[in-house]
Amino acid sequence: MIEILNRLVDAIEESLDEDLDVDALAAAMGTTGYHARRMFSSLAGMPVSEYVRRRRMTVAAADVVGDEDLLTIAVRYGYGSVEAFGRAFRSVHGVSHGHVRRDGGPLQSQPQLRFRLTVEGSTPVDARIIERPAFRLIGHAARVPLIHEGVNPHIQQHIASLPPTAHERLKQLSGTELSGLLQVSADVDPDYTEGSELTYLHGVAVDAAAPVPDDLDAIDVEAGRWGVFRAAGPYPAALQQAYAACATEWFPSNPWRLRPGPSIVSVLDRAPDFTEAICELWLPIERA
C-alpha cells in the first residue's frame, strides 16, 4: 500500500495541469480508488483532492510571479476563470495572486509527499476477521458533519434528542451477533474530508429480512468480511486512535483493503459518564 500511495503521488505530480482519474490509476495498481483515497487521507492528513489543489497552487505560484496572462494560468491548472483560480490560490497561500504578482510573496508551499512505513510494533493491533451474511441496520439516522478528533457535538445532539424509551426499544429489536446499541457511519466521503456530511445512525443490527418499523431508518448491508478492532480507554480518543492505527499499521502490514460500506462501533462496556469505554470497530474489508 505504501508503494501504491507513492506511485499515486508521482502520478499527481505528472498531471498537475489535468484531471487525474484516481479510480483508474488505483485499479491499474491492483487496488480500488475507495481504499486508496481512504488510506491517503488517513496517512497524509488531507484528502487527495486537497493535496492536488495545494500542489497545483504551489507550482502555479511560479507562473503568477511572471508576466503571463492570469486567465491562461488559470485554465492551465483546471480553472475556468481568474476568479475561481484566485479563490483557490488565496486558500493555499493566504494572499491574492495580484499581491504575489506585485510583491513576489509571501507564499505557502505544499512539499511533494513521500510515504514511508516505520516499523515499530510496540503496540499490537487487536484485530479479528469475521465473515458475515447480509444484515440490516435499523435506528434513528441524521446527517452530520465529519469531525476527525474529539467528540462530535452534532452526534451528541442527535442522541440526546432521543427519549430513554427509544434506546430501550432499540435494544429489544437487536437480533444478530452485533448486539447492543451501535454507532453507524455511512455514506462517508471517499476522501474522508473533515466537515463533509455523512449519515450517522444510532441503532441496532437485525437479520436482512427483518421488518423495519415505519418510524425507523434502515441501512441494508451486503454479505462480506469485516475487520473487527478492539479499543479500550478514554472515549472517544481511544476509538479515534484505533481508526488511525488501522491505517498506519494494520492495513499496510496485512493483505486486506477497505471496501465500500458503513463503519460500525459497538460499545461493549463503558463508565457511567462515558469518559472510558471498551469498543469494537467494525470495518468492511476484502482481500487486497
Side-chain angles (χ1 to χ4, degrees):
M1 193 66 224
I2 298 299
E3 179 184 354
I4 289 173
L5 292 177
N6 284 327
R7 289 169 63 187
L8 175 58
V9 168
D10 291 339
I12 290 171
E13 207 64 23
E14 294 168 3
S15 59
L16 288 175
D17 56 353
E18 59 186 62
D19 290 334
L20 179 68
D21 189 336
V22 176
D23 292 323
L25 182 62
M29 293 187 292
T31 188
T32 65
Y34 182 87
H35 184 64
R37 286 190 182 92
R38 290 291 295 272
M39 291 299 100
F40 187 101
S41 176
S42 297
L43 295 175
M46 71 182 89
V48 174
S49 56
E50 173 67 12
Y51 175 70
V52 170
R53 185 173 65 87
R54 292 185 185 185
R55 282 298 297 152
R56 280 178 174 168
M57 293 303 101
T58 296
V59 175
D63 296 338
V64 168
V65 297
D67 299 325
E68 193 173 16
D69 179 70
L70 287 174
L71 180 58
T72 301
I73 297 172
V75 171
R76 176 180 304 138
Y77 292 100
Y79 296 89
S81 67
V82 173
E83 291 75 15
F85 173 76
R87 288 192 294 271
F89 192 90
R90 180 183 288 274
S91 70
V92 172
H93 296 290
V95 293
S96 69
H97 49 62
H99 183 98
V100 169
R101 171 156 286 189
R102 183 179 65 252
D103 300 329
L107 297 169
Q108 298 290 327
S109 297
Q110 169 61 58
Q112 185 176 344
L113 288 178
R114 188 56 55 186
F115 294 92
R116 293 182 176 86
L117 178 60
T118 301
V119 180
E120 295 180 347
S122 58
T123 307
V125 179
D126 186 354
R128 55 197 172 103
I129 309 298
I130 292 179
E131 180 92 27
R132 280 200 52 86
F135 62 97
R136 177 172 285 165
L137 296 161
I138 62 172
H140 301 274
R143 295 290 286 175
V144 300
L146 173 64
I147 295 177
H148 289 158
E149 295 184 6
V151 175
N152 189 320
H154 306 277
I155 291 177
Q156 274 193 321
Q157 182 179 1
H158 173 60
I159 296 174
S161 69
L162 302 175
T165 53
H167 304 289
E168 291 304 318
R169 178 193 179 201
L170 287 172
K171 289 178 183 178
Q172 293 173 6
L173 291 172
S174 178
T176 71
E177 177 189 353
L178 259 167
S179 60
L181 292 176
L182 307 174
Q183 304 168 3
V184 181
S185 298
D187 305 322
V188 181
D189 172 31
D191 280 335
Y192 216 57
T193 308
E194 179 143 10
S196 59
E197 282 200 336
L198 60 91
T199 298
Y200 174 82
L201 182 136
H202 181 75
V204 295
V206 296
D207 292 334
V212 181
D214 292 339
D215 59 336
L216 295 181
D217 303 295
I219 299 173
D220 289 321
V221 184
E222 296 179 355
R225 287 192 176 98
W226 294 78
V228 184
F229 307 88
R230 180 167 289 221
Y235 185 88
L239 180 60
Q240 291 164 344
Q241 289 167 7
Y243 271 103
C246 290
T248 59
E249 299 175 34
W250 196 80
F251 280 110
S253 306
N254 290 275
W256 301 95
R257 66 188 178 201
L258 286 167
R259 59 181 172 87
S263 60
I264 304 169
V265 174
S266 171
V267 180
L268 305 179
D269 193 16
R270 67 181 181 88
D273 59 359
F274 221 152
T275 56
E276 300 271 336
I278 300 173
C279 305
E280 282 188 340
L281 169 62
W282 289 61
L283 297 177
I285 61 172
E286 62 188 7
R287 290 283 299 190

